[in-house]
Amino acid sequence: GPVVGGLAGMGSAFSTSAAPAAGEPDPDEGIEKLARMLAGGRSMTVFTGAGCSVEPPSSIPDFRSPGGLWSRYDPAVYCEYNTFVGQPHLFWEMATELTRDIHAINGGTQEELLETGTVRHARPNAAHVAIADLERLGCVTACITQNIDGLHGKAGSSSVIELHGRQSSATCMACGAGCETEAEVIPQWVAWQQAQGAGGSFVPTCPQPGCEGVLKPDVTLFGEALPTGAYARAVGKVLAAPICLVVGTSLNVFPASTVPGFVTKRFGTLAVNNLDGSGTGDAHIVLRGPAGDTMTRLARRVRELKSLPAATAGRL
């Protein structure tokens, strides 16, 4: 299959400098323009990446930033499918460290982890909530995401296409049985930490009696194809709506990065919300600023415009 990123989808390049430079598009003007298009009846797909999940209380670290996970773990090794087949413990070493990091960021302690088996997970932030709100307002037809964190669904979005799979479930590489990460992988990891005196590396195994095959998370690793039908469904949704809004990704993970551009094939509008200028080269509307604040303001403005008298709304 094509070489793509799964965890890579959460690691899209994402600047942390929010100050707009002179001469750049006014985000307020962009929000107003997009809000008026949506309130006037145009529909929109939303395409999200790592920048949508870095803000609290999600607080999922950007893998590519200095000191990020990929400065400690080479993704070409730890997130590569063939490496996983031969040395699955390398992926699980990286994945459990990320889980531990997020647990700590959300106020969890190692003692809590070992004594109670409780892992604190990322939660939806303002951007996820606002995107779900825009769906409820009848503006968003699909949320297409490179992220594997499942936070769009938890925030209330009902039409979500996860291009790189999801971390919440896993599949046995031997028998094909599926299981939930929370029910099987996390307890095995906690038990392994509690008995670490035994040494060795952590690799979760299939819960089916007599199997003990290696569990692989249902995420797309480098060298794997995207989940069956996900790319085609995403492209179909983009082609069916006159607007595509990109949030928090510099569009550098192939082939997922090609999806938003299909809106221009139908002479539609491409809008981009990033902290920096990445991914904005072909954008018709640029919304520069943090995802949470920008999306919240957009949803609020659409709600305000939709509440206007019908005669006024018709002139938007």
Side-chain angles (χ1 to χ4, degrees), residues 30-38 243 245 271 285 287 298:
I31 288 172
E32 183 66 19
K33 183 176 182 180
L34 184 56
R36 286 181 174 271
M37 293 171 73
L38 295 171
I243 305 169
L245 171 61
I285 300 174
L287 312 173
L298 176 63

Side-chain angles (χ1 to χ4, degrees), residues 18 26-28 30-32 34-35 55 126-127 130-131 134 245-248 271-275 285-302:
D26 181 354
D28 292 335
I31 288 172
E32 183 66 19
L34 184 56
E55 298 173 33
I131 291 168
L134 284 166
L245 171 61
V246 174
V247 181
V272 176
N273 168 218
N274 273 331
L275 274 176
I285 300 174
V286 176
L287 312 173
R288 180 164 170 167
D293 177 66
T294 304
M295 297 307 298
T296 298
R297 289 163 60 200
L298 176 63
R300 182 187 306 127
R301 185 58 180 146
V302 170

